């Protein structure tokens, strides 16, 4: 078996050169990184201002029910009438949104997906189709965003201004 | 080299329904809650992973959202030091708005003209 003996001086110089080489490689890699990416971004200060708590005052005025001889189309389950000229919002889709279609019926192609709580102006309807009542809706600031929607997921909003 | 943009402070005003971000370049962004919800970047809101983008959909600036649980913020939290997540009153909380996305969503006229 061949056995080599290295002098302590050669061994020390070799180790020193290896450390220097590793240091140089590390320095080159570090300097090649873009400074912006290595800079740590501070976490911003987050503040949530709570909404004022509503205080409900119970009403004690008596309610009198008078039977009406006229019938009104009541849709959306809110007691508000959907008709041409009112603003409605999409509601009750559980965040899934509502398909607005090219015509009043489920056989018509969906044009786009209205978002939950999105506001539209009623431009036409009601029309019956596929067992549902439909209204033609148009986004107030984008007339290209329009289509027929099922009334079940629409709710009249109080103000005429969205 | 472009300096990184990040918020110095974020304030969600539930009364005014506006989220205010003051950026490190001193720009002040005012986001209506409805805009933030319409622009929620999560896969569910964008209609699937294939529709997710690093920039806001231009349509969100013309969408009008009514006041509802879907447009009321319950809580706002930082995600590390790179993004923001919003919990809405309807329980939705999947959207992660990174700083770049949030800045591109700034509705001010100066940012919209860029």
């Amino acid at each position: 078996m061949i056995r080599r003996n290295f002098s302590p001086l050669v061994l020390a110089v070799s180790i020193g050169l290896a450390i220097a080489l590793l240091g140089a490689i590390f320095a080159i890699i570090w300097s090649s990184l873009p400074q912006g990416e290595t800079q740590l971004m501070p976490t911003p200060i987050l503040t949530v201002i709570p909404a004022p708590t509503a205080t409900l005052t119970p009403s004690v005025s008596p309610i009198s029910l008078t039977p009406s001889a006229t019938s009104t189309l009541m849709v959306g389950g809110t007691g508000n009438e959907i008709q041409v000229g009112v603003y409605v919002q999409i509601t009750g889709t559980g965040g899934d949104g509502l398909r607005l279609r090219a015509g009043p019926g489920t056989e018509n192609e969906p044009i786009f997906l209205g978002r939950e709580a999105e506001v539209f102006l009623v431009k036409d309807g009601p029309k019956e189709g596929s067992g549902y009542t439909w209204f033609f809706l148009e986004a107030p600031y984008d007339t290209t965003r329009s289509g027929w929607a099922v009334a079940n997921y629409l709710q009249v909003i109080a103000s005429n201004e969205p | 080299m472009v300096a990184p943009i990040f918020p110095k402070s974020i304030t969600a005003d539930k009364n005014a329904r506006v989220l205010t971000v003051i950026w490190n370049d001193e720009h002040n962004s005012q986001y209506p809650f409805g805009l933030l919800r319409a622009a929620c970047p999560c896969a569910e809101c964008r209609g699937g992973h294939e529709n997710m983008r690093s920039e806001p959909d231009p349509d969100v600036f013309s969408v009008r959202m009514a006041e509802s649980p879907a447009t009321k913020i319950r809580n706002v939290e930082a995600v590390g030091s790179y993004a923001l997540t919003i919990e809405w009153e309807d329980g939705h909380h999947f959207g992660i708005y990174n700083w770049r996305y949030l800045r591109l969503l700034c509705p001010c006229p100066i940012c919209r003209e860029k």
Side-chain angles (χ1 to χ4, degrees):
Chain A
M1 192 172 81
I2 299 167
R3 188 170 178 183
R4 288 181 181 170
N5 287 327
F6 295 102
S7 72
L9 181 64
V10 172
L11 203 60
V13 169
S14 301
I15 292 170
L17 281 173
I19 291 170
L21 188 64
L22 283 172
I25 291 169
F26 181 76
I28 289 166
I29 292 171
W30 181 260
S31 62
S32 66
L33 287 174
Q35 205 58 38
E37 289 178 22
T38 57
Q39 186 177 334
L40 288 175
M41 284 190 263
T43 306
I45 301 163
L46 278 173
T47 312
V48 177
I49 301 171
T53 309
T55 306
L56 295 174
T57 309
S59 168
V60 291
S61 57
I63 301 168
S64 61
L65 295 173
T66 310
S68 170
T70 58
S71 64
T72 309
L73 177 68
M74 308 291 263
V75 287
T78 62
N80 292 317
E81 186 184 359
I82 299 177
Q83 56 189 344
V84 173
V86 304
Y87 285 93
V88 293
Q89 67 166 316
I90 294 172
T91 188
T93 68
D96 293 339
L98 179 65
R99 289 185 185 89
L100 273 77
R101 296 178 180 273
T106 53
E107 72 278 10
N108 294 289
E109 279 293 306
I111 304 171
F112 67 96
L113 191 67
R115 296 174 172 87
E116 175 78 16
E118 187 173 353
V119 175
F120 291 91
L121 177 63
V122 179
K123 301 286 282 188
D124 196 4
K127 286 192 176 174
E128 298 300 320
S130 310
Y132 296 101
T133 303
W134 300 77
F135 288 91
F136 186 77
L137 310 180
E138 186 180 280
Y141 296 95
D142 182 1
T143 54
T144 63
R145 198 172 168 80
S146 59
W148 290 89
V150 170
N152 303 49
Y153 297 99
L154 303 177
Q155 184 180 47
V156 173
I157 56 175
S159 167
N160 274 357
E161 287 301 318
Chain B
M1 188 179 69
V2 180
I5 294 285
F6 56 88
K8 285 163 57 181
S9 75
I10 298 171
T11 305
D13 188 338
K14 293 184 181 181
N15 191 23
R17 299 178 68 230
V18 170
L19 183 105
T20 302
V21 177
I22 299 172
W23 299 90
N24 62 327
D25 64 352
E26 303 305 327
H27 187 72
N28 185 322
S29 299
Q30 308 264 338
Y31 304 92
F33 285 2
L35 172 64
L36 289 167
R37 183 57 191 260
C40 177
C42 81
E44 184 182 313
C45 291
R46 298 271 65 84
H49 286 95
E50 66 277 13
N51 296 322
M52 291 174 76
R53 291 186 179 82
S54 59
E55 297 174 0
D57 184 343
D59 285 353
V60 299
F61 295 101
S62 56
V63 167
R64 286 294 176 273
M65 308 284 275
E67 189 173 337
S68 81
T71 56
K72 286 181 182 170
I73 286 178
R74 180 179 292 160
N75 198 20
V76 176
E77 286 182 4
V79 180
S81 59
Y82 73 96
L84 182 77
T85 186
I86 299 173
E87 184 185 359
W88 300 91
E89 290 284 349
D90 66 352
H92 189 77
H93 62 280
F94 302 120
I96 294 175
Y97 303 72
N98 66 42
W99 302 150
R100 181 175 176 273
Y101 185 90
L102 202 58
R103 181 59 180 258
L104 291 170
L105 190 62
C106 178
C108 83
I110 297 166
C111 292
R112 294 277 46 82
E113 283 175 10
K114 284 180 183 173

